[in-house]
Amino acid sequence: MDLGHEQVDVQQLAELFKVLGDPTRIRIVRLLLNKEMCVSDIADTMGMGQSAISHQLRVLRQARLVTFRKEGKTAWYSLNDEHVVVLLKQGIEHVAHQ
């Protein structure tokens, strides 16, 4: 598959969409569209346990969809880059389009 001048690995692309195929991970990414958040804030907002959120964030990190920075003992998560923002917004627009 050729998008512009870059060769895209179909398997890597499938893995990316598999990661985004989980409703909990989509909800986390949507929250991070608005602002940087820590695990406890994400867990409280979603009504889930911190360990479950941490697991999902680890999956999102491995897929390079989110990144984090440490402030003391707190890890603050945000979307990795503008590509993730565009990908999610395009998906939302596609689903909303009738």
Side-chain angles (χ1 to χ4, degrees), residues 54-68:
S54 291
H55 169 74
Q56 298 300 347
L57 286 166
R58 193 165 29 262
V59 173
L60 290 166
R61 263 196 340 261
Q62 288 170 345
R64 297 179 309 139
L65 292 168
V66 301
T67 188
F68 72 100

Side-chain angles (χ1 to χ4, degrees), residues 12-81:
Q12 287 179 314
L13 189 57
E15 290 297 322
L16 171 66
F17 282 112
K18 191 186 302 181
V19 168
L20 287 172
D22 179 87
T24 299
R25 290 192 285 265
I26 290 285
R27 289 176 62 207
I28 292 170
V29 171
R30 282 183 69 177
L31 285 175
L32 296 176
L33 268 177
N34 302 317
K35 63 182 177 181
E36 182 180 60
M37 296 179 79
C38 65
V39 174
S40 61
D41 289 344
I42 295 169
D44 290 346
T45 302
M46 293 180 58
M48 293 178 67
Q50 289 187 28
S51 64
I53 296 300
S54 291
H55 169 74
Q56 298 300 347
L57 286 166
R58 193 165 29 262
V59 173
L60 290 166
R61 263 196 340 261
Q62 288 170 345
R64 297 179 309 139
L65 292 168
V66 301
T67 188
F68 72 100
R69 67 177 179 83
K70 287 284 219 178
E71 192 174 279
K73 292 185 177 187
T74 304
W76 290 91
Y77 287 85
S78 59
L79 297 182
N80 194 32
D81 59 25

Side-chain angles (χ1 to χ4, degrees), residues 33 83-97:
L33 268 177
H83 294 117
V84 180
V85 174
V86 170
L87 185 64
L88 189 65
K89 286 185 175 180
Q90 289 288 319
I92 291 168
E93 286 178 25
H94 179 73
V95 169
H97 185 266

